[in-house]
Amino acid sequence: MLEARALTFVRQGRGLLAPVSCRTLCGEITAIVGPNGAGKSTLLGLLSGWLRPGGGGAFINGRMIADMTPRELALCRAVVEQATVCPQGLTVGDVVGMGAYRGAPSPLAVAHALRLCQSTALAGRQMADLSGGERQRVHLARALCQLLSAPAPGRHLLLDEATSALDFGMADALFGEIRTLARQEGIGVTAVLHDINLALRHADRVLLLDGGRAVAFGPVREVMDRERLEALYDVRLAELISPDRRQRAFVPLSRHQGKE
C-alpha cells in the first residue's frame, strides 16, 4: 500500500499542502483531482520520495519513504512526470529498456511494456522524432518496464498528468490498459488527473484537493457527485448517465461567478 498520513509541505515559509491523508492499495487506482494550483503535483512529489514533507509521512508497504534508499524505492515504485525529457540519440527501445531493474533489459519486458502502451511500432524510432503524445506513451512504457522487471511485491506506479498530450480516445484506452495491468499484476496506481471523466471511468478511489487541502477522499461513486464537483471547480455541470446506469460523465455548462 502507498499511503499519505497527514502530509504537509512548506516552501519558503509558505504552506503549500495542509495535512492530507490518502492511500492506494495494490491492484487499485487512486486518482488525485482538483483545479490548477490545488497541490496535486506537490502531493505526488511527496509520495514519490522526491520531496521531503514538512510534517506527517509518506509510506510504501509500511516503510517511511523518506528513510528508503533510491535503490529500495526503484524496486517498488516508478514515476512518470508531466513534463518528460527527450533524450538525444536514443531510440524508443533504448529509453524503455532504461527502466529495467538491473543490468541488460529483458527484451520480453520491453516488448510487453511497449505493447501495453500501444507503442510497439515506435520501438526503432528516435525519441527526438516523436510527438508529445508519443513521448508520453514511451515514458509510461519505461516506468512499466521498471515495475515489470522488479522482483519486489507491493509495486506502485505514480502518474503526473501522464496522458495530458493524448487525445481523449487514446487517453481512455490507455487508462483501460493501466487498469487491467493493475488488476493482473497487483500494481497500485496513483494518478494526478485533470480529466474528471477519466477518474470516473477508471479509478477505484479519488482524492479531491483544493488550495492544498483535502476536500474528500473515498470510493469514486461516493466522492464524485455533481454538487461537490461544481463547488470544487466553480462551474455548473450536467451529469450524463448511461441507460444501464453503470457509466457517468460530467459536461461543463457555464462558469459560476463565486471565485476569481
Side-chain angles (χ1 to χ4, degrees), residues 140-165:
L140 178 57
R142 171 191 51 77
L144 290 177
C145 184
Q146 176 185 335
L147 294 180
L148 292 171
S149 61
R155 296 164 296 173
H156 286 266
L157 176 64
L158 285 74
L159 307 175
D160 190 358
E161 282 296 323
T163 59
S164 60

Side-chain angles (χ1 to χ4, degrees), residues 56-180:
F59 296 81
I60 188 165
N61 303 327
R63 296 187 62 189
M64 183 173 282
I65 291 174
D67 295 336
M68 297 174 69
T69 66
R71 179 184 178 277
E72 289 173 329
L73 277 173
L75 284 172
C76 57
R77 73 95 179 93
V79 186
V80 181
E81 297 180 272
Q82 183 175 357
T84 55
V85 298
C86 180
Q88 298 295 314
L90 295 180
T91 68
V92 167
D94 293 333
V95 171
V96 174
M98 290 169 63
Y101 161 60
R102 71 170 104 187
S106 161
L108 289 177
V110 172
H112 187 195
L114 285 169
R115 185 169 61 255
L116 287 169
C117 296
Q118 302 178 42
S119 300
T120 301
L122 303 178
R125 292 181 58 184
Q126 293 288 318
M127 286 292 293
D129 296 335
L130 302 184
S131 68
E134 288 170 334
R135 290 174 192 168
Q136 278 191 323
R137 285 155 50 198
V138 170
H139 280 285
L140 178 57
R142 171 191 51 77
L144 290 177
C145 184
Q146 176 185 335
L147 294 180
L148 292 171
S149 61
R155 296 164 296 173
H156 286 266
L157 176 64
L158 285 74
L159 307 175
D160 190 358
E161 282 296 323
T163 59
S164 60
L166 304 181
D167 63 67
F168 71 90
M170 178 64 76
D172 185 72
L174 189 55
F175 255 91
E177 296 284 356
I178 291 171
R179 183 182 179 90
T180 299

Side-chain angles (χ1 to χ4, degrees), residues 2-4 7 9 16-17 20 22 24 30-33 38-53 58 65 73 77-83 156-162 188-193 207 209:
L2 180 66
E3 186 177 14
L7 276 179
F9 185 71
L16 300 182
L17 203 68
V20 171
C22 63
T24 301
T30 292
I32 303 173
V33 174
K40 302 184 296 295
S41 294
T42 298
L43 176 58
L44 205 75
L46 292 166
L47 290 171
S48 71
W50 290 345
L51 296 176
R52 290 270 178 166
I65 291 174
L73 277 173
R77 73 95 179 93
V79 186
V80 181
E81 297 180 272
Q82 183 175 357
H156 286 266
L157 176 64
L158 285 74
L159 307 175
D160 190 358
E161 282 296 323
V189 179
T190 304
V192 169
L193 293 173
L207 171 69
L209 284 181

